[in-house]
Amino acid sequence: MEGFPPVTPMTALIVDDDGRLTYVGADGCRRVIVGDSDLLQRLQQLRKLRGDEMEGGCGI
């Protein structure tokens, strides 16, 4: 990949309130990996399902 040098992630991946998949890099900047609001809606649907599909997650 050309352009920017790689940045080491310093936090876990987070889905923010706008449905974007993000992380904070070693430089302190938050980066957006996926900016799709449908992602948040799908995760919210999965949370409402019965069963243990989301058990053991990272607070999602």
Side-chain angles (χ1 to χ4, degrees):
M1 184 181 258
E2 294 181 35
F4 301 105
V7 176
T8 302
M10 298 304 288
T11 64
L13 297 176
I14 296 171
V15 178
D16 68 12
D17 291 337
D18 295 322
R20 298 174 299 192
L21 185 61
T22 66
Y23 72 95
V24 175
D27 59 0
C29 293
R30 178 162 297 282
R31 289 179 167 70
V32 175
I33 298 171
V34 177
D36 185 353
S37 62
D38 291 334
L39 173 63
L40 178 61
Q41 291 175 354
R42 181 64 181 135
L43 288 172
Q44 289 172 334
Q45 289 173 349
L46 290 172
R47 281 178 79 182
K48 292 177 184 177
L49 291 177
R50 297 189 103 157
D52 63 353
E53 293 88 358
M54 301 292 282
E55 284 297 312
C58 296
I60 292 180

Short mmCIF file of all heavy atoms in Angstrom, two decimals:
data_model
loop_
_atom_site.label_atom_id
_atom_site.label_comp_id
_atom_site.label_asym_id
_atom_site.label_seq_id
_atom_site.Cartn_x
_atom_site.Cartn_y
_atom_site.Cartn_z
N MET A 1 0.85 -1.17 0.00
CA MET A 1 0.00 0.00 0.00
C MET A 1 0.89 1.23 0.00
O MET A 1 1.77 1.38 0.82
CB MET A 1 -0.90 -0.03 1.23
CG MET A 1 -1.88 1.11 1.27
SD MET A 1 -2.89 1.05 2.76
CE MET A 1 -4.37 0.40 2.06
N GLU A 2 0.66 2.11 -0.93
CA GLU A 2 1.45 3.33 -1.03
C GLU A 2 0.83 4.44 -0.20
O GLU A 2 -0.33 4.38 0.18
CB GLU A 2 1.51 3.77 -2.48
CG GLU A 2 2.28 2.81 -3.37
CD GLU A 2 2.34 3.32 -4.78
OE1 GLU A 2 2.42 4.54 -4.98
OE2 GLU A 2 2.30 2.48 -5.68
N GLY A 3 1.63 5.45 0.08
CA GLY A 3 1.08 6.60 0.80
C GLY A 3 1.60 6.70 2.21
O GLY A 3 2.78 6.89 2.43
N PHE A 4 0.72 6.51 3.16
CA PHE A 4 1.04 6.72 4.56
C PHE A 4 1.76 5.51 5.15
O PHE A 4 1.46 4.38 4.82
CB PHE A 4 -0.24 6.97 5.36
CG PHE A 4 -1.00 8.16 4.87
CD1 PHE A 4 -2.16 7.99 4.13
CD2 PHE A 4 -0.56 9.45 5.13
CE1 PHE A 4 -2.87 9.08 3.67
CE2 PHE A 4 -1.26 10.55 4.67
CZ PHE A 4 -2.41 10.36 3.94
N PRO A 5 2.71 5.77 6.07
CA PRO A 5 3.37 4.65 6.75
C PRO A 5 2.39 3.95 7.70
O PRO A 5 1.43 4.56 8.15
CB PRO A 5 4.50 5.32 7.54
CG PRO A 5 4.07 6.73 7.71
CD PRO A 5 3.21 7.06 6.52
N PRO A 6 2.63 2.68 8.00
CA PRO A 6 1.72 1.96 8.91
C PRO A 6 1.76 2.56 10.32
O PRO A 6 2.78 3.09 10.75
CB PRO A 6 2.24 0.53 8.91
CG PRO A 6 3.62 0.60 8.36
CD PRO A 6 3.72 1.85 7.53
N VAL A 7 0.63 2.48 11.01
CA VAL A 7 0.51 2.97 12.39
C VAL A 7 0.08 1.80 13.27
O VAL A 7 -0.87 1.10 12.96
CB VAL A 7 -0.54 4.10 12.49
CG1 VAL A 7 -0.73 4.53 13.93
CG2 VAL A 7 -0.12 5.27 11.63
N THR A 8 0.78 1.59 14.36
CA THR A 8 0.47 0.51 15.29
C THR A 8 -0.78 0.84 16.09
O THR A 8 -0.84 1.90 16.73
CB THR A 8 1.64 0.27 16.26
OG1 THR A 8 2.81 -0.02 15.50
CG2 THR A 8 1.34 -0.86 17.22
N PRO A 9 -1.81 -0.02 16.05
CA PRO A 9 -3.01 0.21 16.87
C PRO A 9 -2.66 0.10 18.36
O PRO A 9 -1.92 -0.79 18.77
CB PRO A 9 -3.96 -0.91 16.46
CG PRO A 9 -3.45 -1.40 15.16
CD PRO A 9 -1.97 -1.18 15.19
N MET A 10 -3.22 1.00 19.18
CA MET A 10 -2.97 0.98 20.62
C MET A 10 -4.24 0.65 21.40
O MET A 10 -4.18 0.53 22.62
CB MET A 10 -2.41 2.33 21.07
CG MET A 10 -1.07 2.66 20.44
SD MET A 10 0.20 1.42 20.70
CE MET A 10 0.57 1.65 22.41
N THR A 11 -5.37 0.57 20.73
CA THR A 11 -6.62 0.21 21.39
C THR A 11 -7.30 -0.90 20.62
O THR A 11 -6.95 -1.19 19.48
CB THR A 11 -7.60 1.41 21.44
OG1 THR A 11 -7.96 1.77 20.10
CG2 THR A 11 -6.99 2.60 22.15
N ALA A 12 -8.27 -1.51 21.26
CA ALA A 12 -9.10 -2.50 20.57
C ALA A 12 -9.96 -1.79 19.53
O ALA A 12 -10.15 -0.57 19.59
CB ALA A 12 -9.99 -3.22 21.58
N LEU A 13 -10.48 -2.53 18.60
CA LEU A 13 -11.41 -1.96 17.63
C LEU A 13 -12.70 -1.58 18.34
O LEU A 13 -13.18 -2.31 19.20
CB LEU A 13 -11.71 -2.97 16.52
CG LEU A 13 -10.51 -3.39 15.67
CD1 LEU A 13 -10.94 -4.45 14.68
CD2 LEU A 13 -9.90 -2.21 14.97
N ILE A 14 -13.26 -0.45 17.97
CA ILE A 14 -14.48 0.07 18.59
C ILE A 14 -15.46 0.45 17.50
O ILE A 14 -15.08 1.08 16.51
CB ILE A 14 -14.16 1.31 19.45
CG1 ILE A 14 -13.25 0.94 20.60
CG2 ILE A 14 -15.45 1.97 19.94
CD1 ILE A 14 -12.73 2.13 21.37
N VAL A 15 -16.72 0.08 17.67
CA VAL A 15 -17.78 0.57 16.80
C VAL A 15 -18.38 1.77 17.52
O VAL A 15 -18.95 1.65 18.60
CB VAL A 15 -18.86 -0.51 16.54
CG1 VAL A 15 -19.98 0.05 15.69
CG2 VAL A 15 -18.23 -1.73 15.88
N ASP A 16 -18.24 2.96 16.92
CA ASP A 16 -18.73 4.17 17.58
C ASP A 16 -20.23 4.35 17.35
O ASP A 16 -20.88 3.51 16.71
CB ASP A 16 -17.93 5.40 17.14
CG ASP A 16 -18.13 5.80 15.70
OD1 ASP A 16 -19.06 5.29 15.03
OD2 ASP A 16 -17.37 6.65 15.22
N ASP A 17 -20.79 5.43 17.89
CA ASP A 17 -22.23 5.68 17.81
C ASP A 17 -22.73 5.88 16.38
O ASP A 17 -23.92 5.77 16.11
CB ASP A 17 -22.62 6.89 18.65
CG ASP A 17 -22.46 6.62 20.13
OD1 ASP A 17 -22.49 5.44 20.53
OD2 ASP A 17 -22.30 7.60 20.89
N ASP A 18 -21.82 6.20 15.46
CA ASP A 18 -22.19 6.40 14.06
C ASP A 18 -21.99 5.14 13.22
O ASP A 18 -22.15 5.17 12.01
CB ASP A 18 -21.38 7.55 13.46
CG ASP A 18 -21.72 8.88 14.11
OD1 ASP A 18 -22.91 9.10 14.42
OD2 ASP A 18 -20.80 9.69 14.31
N GLY A 19 -21.62 4.02 13.87
CA GLY A 19 -21.47 2.76 13.17
C GLY A 19 -20.14 2.61 12.46
O GLY A 19 -20.00 1.74 11.62
N ARG A 20 -19.16 3.42 12.81
CA ARG A 20 -17.84 3.33 12.19
C ARG A 20 -16.94 2.44 13.03
O ARG A 20 -16.93 2.54 14.25
CB ARG A 20 -17.21 4.71 12.05
CG ARG A 20 -18.04 5.64 11.16
CD ARG A 20 -17.47 7.01 11.17
NE ARG A 20 -17.50 7.53 12.54
CZ ARG A 20 -17.29 8.79 12.87
NH1 ARG A 20 -17.00 9.68 11.95
NH2 ARG A 20 -17.33 9.17 14.13
N LEU A 21 -16.18 1.57 12.38
CA LEU A 21 -15.20 0.72 13.05
C LEU A 21 -13.91 1.51 13.16
O LEU A 21 -13.34 1.92 12.14
CB LEU A 21 -15.00 -0.57 12.26
CG LEU A 21 -14.11 -1.63 12.89
CD1 LEU A 21 -14.69 -2.11 14.21
CD2 LEU A 21 -13.93 -2.78 11.93
N THR A 22 -13.44 1.77 14.40
CA THR A 22 -12.30 2.66 14.60
C THR A 22 -11.29 2.07 15.58
O THR A 22 -11.58 1.11 16.27
CB THR A 22 -12.76 4.02 15.18
OG1 THR A 22 -13.27 3.84 16.50
CG2 THR A 22 -13.84 4.66 14.31
N TYR A 23 -10.11 2.69 15.61
CA TYR A 23 -9.09 2.39 16.61
C TYR A 23 -8.23 3.63 16.81
O TYR A 23 -8.22 4.53 15.97
CB TYR A 23 -8.22 1.20 16.21
CG TYR A 23 -7.26 1.48 15.07
CD1 TYR A 23 -5.95 1.86 15.33
CD2 TYR A 23 -7.67 1.36 13.75
CE1 TYR A 23 -5.07 2.13 14.29
CE2 TYR A 23 -6.81 1.63 12.71
CZ TYR A 23 -5.51 2.01 12.97
OH TYR A 23 -4.65 2.27 11.95
N VAL A 24 -7.49 3.68 17.92
CA VAL A 24 -6.54 4.75 18.17
C VAL A 24 -5.14 4.20 17.93
O VAL A 24 -4.77 3.15 18.46
CB VAL A 24 -6.66 5.30 19.61
CG1 VAL A 24 -5.57 6.33 19.89
CG2 VAL A 24 -8.03 5.91 19.83
N GLY A 25 -4.37 4.92 17.12
CA GLY A 25 -3.02 4.50 16.80
C GLY A 25 -2.01 4.99 17.82
O GLY A 25 -2.31 5.79 18.71
N ALA A 26 -0.77 4.52 17.67
CA ALA A 26 0.32 4.89 18.58
C ALA A 26 0.57 6.39 18.57
O ALA A 26 1.10 6.94 19.54
CB ALA A 26 1.59 4.14 18.20
N ASP A 27 0.17 7.07 17.51
CA ASP A 27 0.36 8.51 17.42
C ASP A 27 -0.76 9.30 18.09
O ASP A 27 -0.76 10.52 18.10
CB ASP A 27 0.50 8.94 15.96
CG ASP A 27 -0.70 8.56 15.12
OD1 ASP A 27 -1.67 7.97 15.65
OD2 ASP A 27 -0.68 8.84 13.91
N GLY A 28 -1.76 8.59 18.66
CA GLY A 28 -2.86 9.24 19.38
C GLY A 28 -4.04 9.62 18.52
O GLY A 28 -5.03 10.15 19.02
N CYS A 29 -3.97 9.38 17.22
CA CYS A 29 -5.08 9.73 16.32
C CYS A 29 -6.05 8.56 16.19
O CYS A 29 -5.64 7.41 16.07
CB CYS A 29 -4.54 10.07 14.94
SG CYS A 29 -3.56 11.58 14.91
N ARG A 30 -7.35 8.88 16.20
CA ARG A 30 -8.37 7.85 15.97
C ARG A 30 -8.53 7.69 14.46
O ARG A 30 -8.63 8.65 13.73
CB ARG A 30 -9.70 8.24 16.59
CG ARG A 30 -10.79 7.19 16.31
CD ARG A 30 -11.98 7.28 17.22
NE ARG A 30 -11.67 7.05 18.61
CZ ARG A 30 -11.46 5.85 19.16
NH1 ARG A 30 -11.51 4.77 18.43
NH2 ARG A 30 -11.21 5.75 20.44
N ARG A 31 -8.54 6.45 14.02
CA ARG A 31 -8.68 6.15 12.60
C ARG A 31 -9.94 5.35 12.36
O ARG A 31 -10.29 4.50 13.15
CB ARG A 31 -7.47 5.35 12.13
CG ARG A 31 -6.24 6.24 12.10
CD ARG A 31 -5.02 5.46 11.67
NE ARG A 31 -3.93 6.34 11.36
CZ ARG A 31 -3.26 7.05 12.26
NH1 ARG A 31 -3.58 6.97 13.54
NH2 ARG A 31 -2.28 7.84 11.90
N VAL A 32 -10.58 5.63 11.23
CA VAL A 32 -11.79 4.92 10.83
C VAL A 32 -11.39 3.83 9.85
O VAL A 32 -10.75 4.09 8.84
CB VAL A 32 -12.81 5.88 10.18
CG1 VAL A 32 -14.01 5.11 9.67
CG2 VAL A 32 -13.23 6.95 11.16
N ILE A 33 -11.78 2.59 10.17
CA ILE A 33 -11.48 1.47 9.29
C ILE A 33 -12.66 1.24 8.35
O ILE A 33 -12.50 1.11 7.15
CB ILE A 33 -11.21 0.18 10.10
CG1 ILE A 33 -10.00 0.40 10.99
CG2 ILE A 33 -11.01 -1.01 9.19
CD1 ILE A 33 -9.77 -0.71 11.98
N VAL A 34 -13.85 1.19 8.91
CA VAL A 34 -15.07 1.01 8.12
C VAL A 34 -16.05 2.09 8.55
O VAL A 34 -16.37 2.19 9.73
CB VAL A 34 -15.70 -0.39 8.35
CG1 VAL A 34 -17.00 -0.53 7.58
CG2 VAL A 34 -14.73 -1.48 7.96
N GLY A 35 -16.50 2.89 7.61
CA GLY A 35 -17.41 3.98 7.93
C GLY A 35 -18.84 3.69 7.50
O GLY A 35 -19.50 4.53 6.94
N ASP A 36 -19.32 2.49 7.76
CA ASP A 36 -20.64 2.05 7.29
C ASP A 36 -21.62 2.00 8.46
O ASP A 36 -21.48 1.17 9.35
CB ASP A 36 -20.49 0.68 6.65
CG ASP A 36 -21.76 0.17 6.01
OD1 ASP A 36 -22.82 0.81 6.16
OD2 ASP A 36 -21.69 -0.88 5.36
N SER A 37 -22.62 2.87 8.45
CA SER A 37 -23.58 2.90 9.55
C SER A 37 -24.42 1.63 9.61
O SER A 37 -24.97 1.29 10.66
CB SER A 37 -24.48 4.12 9.44
OG SER A 37 -25.23 4.08 8.24
N ASP A 38 -24.53 0.89 8.51
CA ASP A 38 -25.26 -0.38 8.52
C ASP A 38 -24.58 -1.40 9.43
O ASP A 38 -25.22 -2.29 9.97
CB ASP A 38 -25.39 -0.96 7.12
CG ASP A 38 -26.31 -0.13 6.24
OD1 ASP A 38 -27.20 0.55 6.79
OD2 ASP A 38 -26.13 -0.17 5.01
N LEU A 39 -23.26 -1.27 9.61
CA LEU A 39 -22.53 -2.16 10.50
C LEU A 39 -23.05 -2.06 11.92
O LEU A 39 -23.30 -3.08 12.57
CB LEU A 39 -21.04 -1.82 10.47
CG LEU A 39 -20.13 -2.54 11.46
CD1 LEU A 39 -20.12 -4.04 11.19
CD2 LEU A 39 -18.73 -1.97 11.38
N LEU A 40 -23.26 -0.85 12.42
CA LEU A 40 -23.78 -0.67 13.77
C LEU A 40 -25.18 -1.27 13.90
O LEU A 40 -25.47 -1.96 14.87
CB LEU A 40 -23.82 0.81 14.15
CG LEU A 40 -24.39 1.11 15.53
CD1 LEU A 40 -23.56 0.46 16.63
CD2 LEU A 40 -24.49 2.60 15.75
N GLN A 41 -26.02 -1.05 12.92
CA GLN A 41 -27.37 -1.60 12.97
C GLN A 41 -27.34 -3.12 13.02
O GLN A 41 -28.09 -3.74 13.76
CB GLN A 41 -28.18 -1.13 11.77
CG GLN A 41 -28.50 0.34 11.82
CD GLN A 41 -29.20 0.82 10.57
OE1 GLN A 41 -29.36 0.08 9.60
NE2 GLN A 41 -29.63 2.07 10.58
N ARG A 42 -26.45 -3.74 12.24
CA ARG A 42 -26.36 -5.20 12.23
C ARG A 42 -25.87 -5.73 13.58
O ARG A 42 -26.38 -6.71 14.10
CB ARG A 42 -25.42 -5.66 11.11
CG ARG A 42 -25.29 -7.15 11.01
CD ARG A 42 -26.61 -7.80 10.64
NE ARG A 42 -26.44 -9.24 10.58
CZ ARG A 42 -27.28 -10.11 11.10
NH1 ARG A 42 -28.39 -9.70 11.68
NH2 ARG A 42 -27.06 -11.39 11.02
N LEU A 43 -24.87 -5.05 14.17
CA LEU A 43 -24.39 -5.48 15.48
C LEU A 43 -25.48 -5.35 16.54
O LEU A 43 -25.61 -6.21 17.41
CB LEU A 43 -23.16 -4.67 15.89
CG LEU A 43 -21.88 -4.99 15.13
CD1 LEU A 43 -20.80 -3.99 15.48
CD2 LEU A 43 -21.43 -6.41 15.40
N GLN A 44 -26.27 -4.29 16.45
CA GLN A 44 -27.36 -4.13 17.40
C GLN A 44 -28.40 -5.22 17.24
O GLN A 44 -28.95 -5.71 18.22
CB GLN A 44 -27.98 -2.74 17.24
CG GLN A 44 -27.08 -1.64 17.74
CD GLN A 44 -27.59 -0.25 17.44
OE1 GLN A 44 -28.33 -0.05 16.48
NE2 GLN A 44 -27.19 0.71 18.24
N GLN A 45 -28.66 -5.63 16.00
CA GLN A 45 -29.60 -6.73 15.77
C GLN A 45 -29.06 -8.02 16.38
O GLN A 45 -29.81 -8.77 16.99
CB GLN A 45 -29.81 -6.94 14.27
CG GLN A 45 -30.62 -5.86 13.60
CD GLN A 45 -30.64 -6.04 12.09
OE1 GLN A 45 -29.90 -6.84 11.52
NE2 GLN A 45 -31.49 -5.27 11.43
N LEU A 46 -27.78 -8.27 16.21
CA LEU A 46 -27.18 -9.50 16.75
C LEU A 46 -27.23 -9.52 18.27
O LEU A 46 -27.40 -10.57 18.87
CB LEU A 46 -25.73 -9.64 16.27
CG LEU A 46 -25.56 -9.97 14.80
CD1 LEU A 46 -24.09 -9.90 14.41
CD2 LEU A 46 -26.15 -11.33 14.46
N ARG A 47 -27.08 -8.36 18.90
CA ARG A 47 -27.15 -8.28 20.37
C ARG A 47 -28.51 -8.70 20.89
O ARG A 47 -28.63 -9.24 21.98
CB ARG A 47 -26.87 -6.86 20.84
CG ARG A 47 -25.42 -6.50 20.86
CD ARG A 47 -25.24 -5.09 21.30
NE ARG A 47 -25.35 -4.97 22.74
CZ ARG A 47 -25.26 -3.82 23.39
NH1 ARG A 47 -25.08 -2.71 22.73
NH2 ARG A 47 -25.34 -3.79 24.69
N LYS A 48 -29.54 -8.44 20.12
CA LYS A 48 -30.91 -8.72 20.56
C LYS A 48 -31.30 -10.19 20.39
O LYS A 48 -32.29 -10.62 20.95
CB LYS A 48 -31.89 -7.83 19.81
CG LYS A 48 -31.75 -6.37 20.17
CD LYS A 48 -32.69 -5.51 19.37
CE LYS A 48 -32.45 -4.04 19.69
NZ LYS A 48 -33.29 -3.17 18.89
N LEU A 49 -30.50 -10.94 19.64
CA LEU A 49 -30.79 -12.35 19.43
C LEU A 49 -30.60 -13.13 20.72
O LEU A 49 -29.73 -12.82 21.53
CB LEU A 49 -29.87 -12.95 18.36
CG LEU A 49 -30.08 -12.48 16.93
CD1 LEU A 49 -29.03 -13.12 16.04
CD2 LEU A 49 -31.47 -12.82 16.44
N ARG A 50 -31.41 -14.14 20.91
CA ARG A 50 -31.22 -15.03 22.07
C ARG A 50 -30.08 -15.98 21.76
O ARG A 50 -29.79 -16.28 20.64
CB ARG A 50 -32.49 -15.81 22.31
CG ARG A 50 -33.64 -14.91 22.65
CD ARG A 50 -34.77 -15.73 23.07
NE ARG A 50 -34.82 -15.63 24.53
CZ ARG A 50 -35.89 -15.85 25.23
NH1 ARG A 50 -36.99 -16.23 24.66
NH2 ARG A 50 -35.88 -15.73 26.54
N GLY A 51 -29.44 -16.43 22.79
CA GLY A 51 -28.34 -17.37 22.63
C GLY A 51 -27.03 -16.71 23.01
O GLY A 51 -26.99 -15.61 23.54
N ASP A 52 -25.94 -17.39 22.70
CA ASP A 52 -24.65 -16.90 23.13
C ASP A 52 -23.77 -16.46 21.96
O ASP A 52 -22.55 -16.51 22.04
CB ASP A 52 -23.94 -17.95 23.97
CG ASP A 52 -23.65 -19.22 23.19
OD1 ASP A 52 -24.11 -19.33 22.04
OD2 ASP A 52 -22.96 -20.08 23.73
N GLU A 53 -24.36 -16.03 20.87
CA GLU A 53 -23.59 -15.63 19.71
C GLU A 53 -22.60 -14.54 20.02
O GLU A 53 -21.53 -14.46 19.44
CB GLU A 53 -24.50 -15.15 18.57
CG GLU A 53 -25.37 -16.24 17.97
CD GLU A 53 -26.69 -16.40 18.72
OE1 GLU A 53 -26.91 -15.70 19.71
OE2 GLU A 53 -27.48 -17.25 18.29
N MET A 54 -22.94 -13.64 20.95
CA MET A 54 -22.08 -12.52 21.27
C MET A 54 -21.40 -12.67 22.62
O MET A 54 -20.76 -11.75 23.09
CB MET A 54 -22.88 -11.21 21.24
CG MET A 54 -23.54 -10.91 19.91
SD MET A 54 -22.36 -10.54 18.63
CE MET A 54 -21.96 -8.85 19.07
N GLU A 55 -21.54 -13.81 23.28
CA GLU A 55 -20.94 -14.01 24.60
C GLU A 55 -19.43 -13.94 24.51
O GLU A 55 -18.82 -14.40 23.55
CB GLU A 55 -21.35 -15.37 25.17
CG GLU A 55 -22.74 -15.42 25.69
CD GLU A 55 -22.97 -14.50 26.87
OE1 GLU A 55 -22.16 -14.50 27.81
OE2 GLU A 55 -23.96 -13.77 26.85
N GLY A 56 -18.83 -13.38 25.54
CA GLY A 56 -17.37 -13.32 25.61
C GLY A 56 -16.78 -12.22 24.78
O GLY A 56 -15.57 -12.16 24.61
N GLY A 57 -17.62 -11.33 24.25
CA GLY A 57 -17.12 -10.23 23.44
C GLY A 57 -16.47 -9.15 24.28
O GLY A 57 -16.27 -9.29 25.47
N CYS A 58 -16.15 -8.07 23.64
CA CYS A 58 -15.44 -6.98 24.29
C CYS A 58 -16.40 -5.85 24.63
O CYS A 58 -16.12 -4.69 24.33
CB CYS A 58 -14.32 -6.48 23.40
SG CYS A 58 -13.06 -7.72 23.10
N GLY A 59 -17.54 -6.15 25.20
CA GLY A 59 -18.46 -5.11 25.60
C GLY A 59 -19.38 -4.62 24.51
O GLY A 59 -20.01 -3.60 24.66
N ILE A 60 -19.46 -5.33 23.42
CA ILE A 60 -20.35 -4.90 22.34
C ILE A 60 -21.77 -5.26 22.71
O ILE A 60 -22.07 -6.26 23.21
CB ILE A 60 -19.96 -5.54 20.99
CG1 ILE A 60 -18.63 -5.00 20.54
CG2 ILE A 60 -21.01 -5.28 19.96
CD1 ILE A 60 -18.15 -5.56 19.23
#
